[in-house]
Amino acid sequence: MVKVKIFLPVFAFLVIVVFAIILGLEFGLRKKKKIHQKKNYYENGAVATDALKCSEIGRDVLIEGGHAVDAAIASLLCTGVVNLHSTGISGGGFMSVYNRKLKQSFVYNYREAAPGSLRADAFDKNVTLKNIVMLCYLKNIYRIGGLAVGVPGELRGLRKAHQKFGRLNWKRLVTPSIELAEKGFSMGNHMYKNMIDIETKKYLELDPGYREILMNKNGLWKKEGEIIVLKKLAETLRKVRDNPDALYTGELSQGFINDIVAHNGNMTLNDLKSYEVKEETPIEMKLGNYTLYTTPLPGGGTVLLSILKILKGFNWTKEDFTTFDKKVLNYHRMVEAFKFSYAARPFLGDPDKIPSVNRTAFNKLIADILDDNYAEQKRLKINDSVTRENKFYSQFFTKTQDSGTTHVSVIDKEGNAVSATDTINYAFGAKFCSVTSGICFNNELADFFIKSNVSENYPTTAANFPGPGKRPLSSTCPTIIVNNEGNVVMIVGGSGGTKITLSTAWVIMKVLWLGYSLEDAVNDVRVYHTFSPSYIQSETTLNFKIPINLMEGLKKKGHKFKDSTGHSVIQGIYVKDSKIYAKSDPRKQGEAAGY
């Protein structure tokens, strides 16, 4: 009886303790969940990249008091690790920076450059290949192997921006990427899909560097979600951490050149040493009460402004897309503006490398493209009833395409902003990765127009033919938009080859002209028409595929369609009523982060 009396209080006490523990755990989990709950907007700063981990690394830099440039650098270096197929320290790009205090915008051009030995007919000549493996590259030497590699600009570009704007120590910005490369990360869906592409995989299978990092111990290609460890790249990044110029004049230089020469390239140490970042004045455009800043040539900002200038004359509002007939009409008008704007691309190129005999005509063309009256003339040529054959827009065709790119959008607490697009060009670049340094090489020179890829009537003084020291034409257009008070309203840009400019324009229009939320604008279906190929490319993923009724309506106006697995990926930030909305494109499974 005594035992029962003792047992009951003890039992009751234990029940109370267990119940309290359960409640405590439940409360703790709820509290934890609340702390990490994704907010619809941020109040201080935000970073949008195509990889959540990289967005978070950039956000943490902002929390520590870093400038938007600091956060962009840390995020871009991170993306070069987790999305090594898209970007990396062998690549280059463009960075737009907005200084809120000065109300001034800057552009850093660190686009890859051709080696000093490259000539206009470099990829049209017969070449002597140095090993049997290179025989499979014969038809593709402009995009596969060492001859396709441009002199990298990323590290010098990031360093130059850091020297002007950076607040945190350079080593602090590089360290998270070292740790990530060394500990490993899960292969994302975007890398996996690009890796198993039949055309890409046949080259990766030949390369010991890519086999080393992308195959598991059983000799099988890794699958989505499997861990990738980059020990050699981690060690390389340590050298970059300790010496930002290590790739150009330090202990990484000779190895970098050796890898390129071993793959039939002819870049030299002097090419690395003499590479220079260009700080340039952005091109700009008035959009009602806003001012848009973006990249001059060889960036894609000129084509972006051409699209916007042609379409602004329609004075679109959300009402213009409310009915089926209106939507078909205005999607048609948009495609026509794309075609007019992209028809000018064959005449564009690196303005610093235009021969003097052609410079006057080149400068006039650029002035015309950016002129409002010229854009209005193009708009008036749009026939609302029917599209035309490509020769109506231009007689010249090009076939360049790129897909290995990343974009970062950042805003900090003081209202400074960065819009930066970096790339190694095609997915997995030149299709070889160093077995000593872990660096995966770009194939940026594939962005030049070559004679075998253009019509016979193509002008022999083409602005984007290969040439020594020349920077190939790009579609990237990192953009910052501010209001009349000098406050940042929008930061936007993207990846995805020639589709980048189209998608950037469309997201800007949807948010600023049509009143869409940033999330809806990024998530929405897009139409891609890059002039050549001469049809609208429709994404194959169900969520992003052009609706059948819209497609049929556009077909009645003469448009042709073809499914495409390629797409562009937009990273954007929009500021309204002191709320910061950040969105990473779900097409690449990216997520933004902020605080």
Side-chain angles (χ1 to χ4, degrees), residues 222-376:
K222 292 182 177 180
K223 297 185 181 299
E224 179 182 350
E226 289 195 58
I227 300 299
I228 296 176
V229 176
L230 305 172
K231 295 283 188 182
K232 293 174 181 177
L233 183 61
E235 187 57 35
T236 292
L237 289 172
R238 283 193 181 90
K239 294 172 182 176
V240 170
R241 175 197 63 190
D242 297 335
N243 175 14
D245 213 43
L247 185 61
Y248 300 90
T249 59
E251 55 184 309
L252 295 173
S253 307
Q254 188 63 61
F256 189 85
I257 296 300
N258 291 345
D259 283 322
I260 291 173
V261 171
H263 287 79
N264 206 53
N266 52 20
M267 191 183 297
T268 67
L269 284 170
N270 188 59
D271 289 322
L272 287 175
K273 183 180 179 180
S274 60
Y275 181 87
E276 293 184 356
V277 179
K278 300 178 181 181
E279 185 175 326
E280 300 179 326
T281 302
I283 53 176
E284 60 182 85
M285 173 185 176
K286 290 295 292 183
L287 284 171
N289 294 323
Y290 306 121
T291 302
L292 179 153
Y293 299 102
T294 190
T295 51
L297 289 169
T302 300
V303 175
L304 173 69
L305 294 197
S306 174
I307 294 169
L308 294 173
K309 283 176 178 286
I310 291 171
L311 291 174
K312 76 174 183 178
F314 289 116
N315 297 311
W316 281 343
T317 66
K318 200 164 189 175
E319 175 65 26
D320 292 303
F321 290 80
T322 52
T323 68
F324 173 74
D325 288 341
K326 288 180 178 180
K327 184 174 288 189
V328 170
L329 171 62
N330 287 308
Y331 268 80
H332 165 74
R333 288 171 170 174
M334 179 176 58
V335 171
E336 293 300 286
F338 289 168
K339 292 171 74 172
F340 272 121
S341 299
Y342 270 65
R345 288 189 85 247
F347 302 95
L348 307 180
D350 186 345
D352 294 334
K353 296 294 180 179
I354 301 299
S356 56
V357 68
N358 305 115
R359 190 159 294 157
T360 300
F362 179 84
N363 290 340
K364 183 181 184 306
L365 171 65
I366 306 309
D368 283 345
I369 292 173
L370 298 177
D371 180 72
D372 288 342
N373 292 329
Y374 182 87
E376 180 66 5

Side-chain angles (χ1 to χ4, degrees), residues 192-250:
Y192 176 70
K193 287 196 297 185
N194 278 279
M195 183 188 74
I196 62 174
D197 173 78
I198 295 174
E199 180 69 14
T200 298
K201 195 173 182 181
K202 73 179 183 181
Y203 292 113
L204 299 183
E205 287 174 337
L206 293 171
D207 182 64
Y210 275 121
R211 290 201 306 267
E212 181 179 300
I213 61 177
L214 297 177
M215 282 185 166
N216 58 33
K217 293 179 180 179
N218 298 322
L220 301 174
W221 291 95
K222 292 182 177 180
K223 297 185 181 299
E224 179 182 350
E226 289 195 58
I227 300 299
I228 296 176
V229 176
L230 305 172
K231 295 283 188 182
K232 293 174 181 177
L233 183 61
E235 187 57 35
T236 292
L237 289 172
R238 283 193 181 90
K239 294 172 182 176
V240 170
R241 175 197 63 190
D242 297 335
N243 175 14
D245 213 43
L247 185 61
Y248 300 90
T249 59

Side-chain angles (χ1 to χ4, degrees), residues 93-145:
F94 296 89
M95 178 186 288
S96 296
V97 181
Y98 182 72
N99 184 307
R100 173 61 186 83
K101 185 176 181 179
L102 298 178
K103 298 183 181 180
Q104 188 176 359
S105 184
F106 306 82
V107 168
Y108 290 96
N109 171 357
Y110 48 96
R111 176 80 159 156
E112 299 96 320
S117 61
L118 193 73
R119 298 293 179 264
D121 58 354
F123 301 117
D124 295 294
K125 286 184 175 181
N126 293 323
V127 295
T128 302
L129 299 174
K130 298 174 182 176
N131 56 62
I132 295 175
V133 172
M134 289 300 296
L135 286 173
C136 72
Y137 294 168
L138 184 58
K139 293 181 180 179
N140 297 299
I141 59 170
Y142 72 97
R143 63 185 182 89
I144 308 291

Side-chain angles (χ1 to χ4, degrees), residues 398-417:
T398 63
K399 299 179 182 178
T400 61
Q401 183 61 275
D402 55 317
S403 57
T405 309
T406 193
H407 182 83
V408 173
S409 293
V410 184
I411 188 167
D412 65 25
K413 192 172 184 179
E414 287 77 34
N416 302 305

Side-chain angles (χ1 to χ4, degrees), residues 7-19:
F7 174 75
L8 287 174
V10 171
F11 178 75
F13 174 76
L14 289 174
V15 168
I16 292 169
V17 169
V18 171
F19 186 67

